[in-house]
Amino acid sequence: MKNFREKADLIWKIADLLRGDYKQSDYGKVILPLTVLRRLDCVLAPTKQKVLDYLPKIASLKENAKDIALNKIAGFNFHNKSLFDFEKLVADPNNVAVNLRNYINGFSAGAREIIEYFNFDDQIDRMDNPQADILFRVVEEFKKIDLSDMTSMEMGYVFEELIRKFSEQSNETAGEHFTPREVIRLMVNVLFNEDREMLTKEGIVKTLYDPACGTGGMLSIGEEYVKELNPKAELKVFGQEINPESYAICKSDMLIKGQNPGNIKFGNTFTVDGLEDETFDYMLSNPPFGVDWKKAEKTIKTEADKKGMSGRFGAGLPRINDGSLLFLQHMISKMKSAGSRIGIVFNGSPLFTGAAESGESNIRKWIIENDWLEAIIALPDQLFYNTGISTYIWVVTNHKSQERKGKIQLINATGVKDEELLKEGKLDFNRFWQKMDRSLGNKRKKIAENGNTKGIGFITKLYGDFEENEFVKIYPNEFFGYSRVTVEQPLKENGKIVKTKGKPKPDTSLRDYENIPFMKKDANGNLSPQTIEEYFEAEVQPHLPEAWIDESKTKIGYEINFTKYFYEFKPLRSLSKIKEDILALEEKTLETEKTVLE
């Protein structure tokens, strides 16, 4: 991947030409659209003259027929019929602005629309202004950079590196635009793992969707995985993106790869579902962590009220400052009745935020009671560019295999245990992550991409084996449910219980609450169902013999306390060991004092 870094650095250096005329936060408005243009230019270069030579032969055809014919000559889903390319633009330095516009207008409609989303026409005027006079120099520098030898994957890295740098300059959130590629590879591995055999069949056609597709990284890696598995398989990709620059970059990538760019929609997925009534075989997404949905509040609440469970948000609405679970509900609404699989990245909040019968808890209840939650994978921290927090992959499906039905698999891939073993010198590598040579924003760790004894391969194997071990726990769905009960005690006056209608009156100052799990563990760790009554008799009544449960206030909740399930008790050191350490420290201190005093 050295090639992509070299290209990204060369492009980044061009931004120096904008210094003084542009604020650093505006560099991306010039560099990103020109990178897209140069990429399209390089891709079309081998057939450009053939397209121009063919133009007179189709002069009498209608525009739509012309486009189809010229696309065929170009060898892509797009073409450029302008006489100009980057080389000819630079050859006429006095007319770069007018020629550049002519060049952009020469693209077929789909490609031209991509550039329009950058609002690049305004930047042409700004750079061509006599006071700036930098348009020619910027175009000239781009002409020197050859992007014809870049794979689609490498170009994805280039765009992501540029976006990260521009986001840092303007204090924006780079992580909203893309996901580390090794995280996507892991998600794709897990998503397709159960269907590998089916995907090798002749002429198989499947669909993949990302409702927050950014620059298209998830779609690209999903497509690459299926092609590697079966070159004759077809994976049609779909997506929606709210950021215009990311949307344009994603669409340009789809054009070059021969995908239908019309499958990528622009806009807010919550307010305008660009792919309404569509369903998909596979879905992948990394929605922004803790995304505020206040702007879309009216639309979302109206849909939830009017459509209920027949709409997207009937199960519940999370708190206004974190719409993560809205994305998952949206994706679930697009599952096929024959079976779909979903992979989505969350921070820790959707696991446990919200009390019983809150929006978040009700969404978890809905997903778990429908037996859709297949697995959750806890990832190492410091994997993402814009945050060092811990993250989790949720695998959701309405078509579980027989052995997974009624169960949820938890995989602890944080590497904490490995880290401890490394410190003790008992491991020569970390099975889950490696330190990066240099940090990229908050990203200081990466997941290895090869082998089945560490990194992506190891985590995928843990998932596929579906066996409990030190890194894997498997629990029945009911394990995550609990009853939130209200415990009352009688009000007393002069030592006597106050009654109303023959029943003890509760003392509100003594009111308490208990979360009673649906299941309990015995001394050997075996699980069995647990009733409210038996828990109350065993845990509450021995201490509060006069207490009772107000059953009218009982609520049902679901949460996934991931860390708790993998917690291992470490016994405290013995007093003799502590004393031994203190004496050793005192002896060392005395030796140091002697050395200093001498």
Side-chain angles (χ1 to χ4, degrees), residues 171-217:
N171 293 319
E172 288 181 359
T173 311
E176 287 184 1
H177 301 286
F178 57 92
T179 311
R181 291 294 165 122
E182 77 267 25
V183 175
I184 304 175
R185 285 186 188 279
L186 173 59
M187 292 176 73
V188 166
N189 272 22
V190 170
L191 192 72
F192 291 118
N193 188 76
E194 296 280 292
D195 293 344
R196 279 180 65 89
E197 188 178 333
M198 178 266 290
L199 289 169
T200 58
K201 291 179 180 176
E202 187 80 23
I204 196 84
V205 179
K206 293 290 178 181
T207 53
L208 173 66
Y209 169 64
D210 182 350
C213 62
T215 57

Side-chain angles (χ1 to χ4, degrees), residues 488-490 492 495 497 504 536 540-541 543-549:
E488 302 282 16
Q489 294 184 62
K492 292 183 178 180
I497 294 174
F536 185 72
V540 179
Q541 279 196 323
H543 311 288
L544 303 170
E546 294 178 318
W548 73 92
I549 290 172

